[in-house]
Amino acid sequence: MKNILVFALLVSSCFLFSFGPDNIKKKKVTEQNLEADSVKTGLEYLKRIYSGKEGWQAPNENVTKTVLNLIDHLELIPRDTLLNTLRDLLGNPKQTWIKRSAEDLKNVPDLPGMVKQKDVEEQLARIERAIHNSLSGGAIAVPPQLFDKIYASGKLIEMSKGETLFASGKYKFPESISNETIAAADSSLRRLLLSKRSAYVDSVRKTHNDSIFKLFRDSISIAYRNEFIKNYVDSVQRHYADSIELLNHKIVADWNNAEIQKQNQNIKQYITLLTSHLGNDPIDVWIKNTRNEMTKVRLANDSLNFTRMWLKNEQNDSLSVRVQPLNNRSLKLLIDDGVTFTRFSQKQTKDIVLPTLMQNKKLEKFGKNIDVYSPWRLGGDGTVGFTQNYLSNWASGGKSATSILVVLKGYANCSTSKYSWENNIEVRSGWMRIGDADVKLQKNDDKLGITSRFGIAAFKKWFYSTETNFESQFFYGYNYPDTDHPVSSFMAPGKLFFKIGMDYKPSGNFSVLISPITARSIFVCNDKIDPTKFGLKAGQNSLWDPGLNFDAYWRKDIANRISFETKFKTFVNYHAPFSKYDIDWDNVLVMQVTDNINTRIQGHLVYDDNAKFPSQRIVNGQPVTIYRPKWQFQELLTIGFSYKFSQRLYKSEKELKKMMK
């Protein structure tokens, strides 16, 4: 690179000095300066001269273009560094090239399922009209404390101040009890008239107070009624608007995620294309033999031409070699056919006559009935755990309890260098009784699982695999203590998976099955069971979904007689990949006390989008029951008797050949 730069500087200097030394006002570049200048100094010098700001001009455009390309090439990232960086980024399957937040979107197209603002406003108007119509004829109770304002207003006349109504001239006394009539009456009649006058004043006062109270009561009732209706309308409208906003935001977020994935795929595709073009530049390589004969080979991705050259050794022997470019980074050397080097030297020889070995005819019958291994291996294990406690007159309280758990596993596996076939069955059944002997048994574990996986060797530890998996239970399940209404039974639900994918299995204790083609079927074949609790519609007895399935299995011996086993399964529904998915994670820790007694701890975590559970939610101040999926967890600890066996089948050679056919 340094030699190329020095050459470019010398060429450009010759052109510049051809215009005459008087035109150069800057510092001259001598050979000593060139040797001392760094690459950075040379780049700055060339950019200054060829910028055109000082009046310098090259004799033709080709010279300027060549020098500027040299400057650009040295200032940019080296091509190999750029290619390696791009290839590392392209090799990362999780690489994100671009992203966008849904909150930053300003112009969102009309998406399926979105509710437009016009429709929202119309619905809000309908809600307001419906509430006004529903409450127009109904009575709305006014809190009594609001009427205290009437008494506090001071417009009601007290009993001792009734005369003030007549003093203002609003009311007048009848002639029979007027002041003149009372003044003209004698003492006995005056007392009677005063009594009538007092009763009349109190009657007028009550009538006045009733009219005032009715007026204030109506205004308070109307104001409270209007405020109540307004608040109720606002609450319902706000809840509806919030639900629509949440719905629209989810639709926009799902659309934005799909757009991000699409744009990332397009960017990766174009970067891959441009990277391939960037790496296609040819490279010239010179090969020299011992006689200093030079042969030029052009390395290019699309070149299939051969170049012939002669190799020489110290004895000046010649060997014709063909050089073939494989790509712009590698080449292949081929020696011409029929070339042989032989150097003669004298060697002493001696004839040796070996006696003929006699063949023992008795050995001909040996080995005809020898047993050989079969690719089949059968095995399994079983555990029976039992727990019991009895209480009688126990001051601390409690109830007697009895429980039993049976776990049976079996397998039949066939394995060769070309294919493998694994068949497994698992049966679990657990029962318990709490309290008196009259109490019915309660189920705490029930499972039937059958799995068959067939794989054909692909490369290294990978297999082209297909798997069929069936899961169900044996007995009715209840939400105890209710034993009259079952919630599950055999084949209600029943799950059947059919998977096609790749299986990575480096050992018998670890495997990963990736199945992009998976069909899941759910069956509810019992009329007593509600199918809606398992994702089906009312009246349906089967459901089929396509999706992607991921299965992982790992087993590890933690210590002597202690082992841990985990199985992880997830299913992503293609109908709604971002919202519908199932997770099944089963973990088992086994501690072997003796050869036939062990302690088994199992933790089972499940999330099934189709399994719905009731949940309470408050809507408009009222409790509402909704059904939604929840995380399910099961923990079992068992100490009991265990038995394990594993046996390889043996067959005679004749039987094995017949079986392999």
Side-chain angles (χ1 to χ4, degrees), residues 74 90 114-115 131-132 153 162 167 205 210 246 253 266 288 306 321 391 454 490 515 529-530 553 565 591 605 614 633:
L74 292 176
L90 292 172
M114 284 188 62
V115 182
I131 293 176
H132 278 285
S153 64
R205 182 187 66 82
D210 288 343
L246 183 62
N266 292 337
K288 182 189 298 185
F306 286 92
V321 177
L391 300 177
F454 181 78
F490 177 72
S515 310
I529 308 303
D530 183 7
Y553 168 79
E565 181 181 283
M591 294 176 284
L605 185 65
F633 180 73

Side-chain angles (χ1 to χ4, degrees), residues 4 28 63 95 345 441 491 534 583 626:
I4 295 174
K28 295 183 180 180
V63 174
Q95 178 64 39
S345 61
L441 287 174
M491 287 299 292
F534 304 103
I583 296 176
I626 62 174

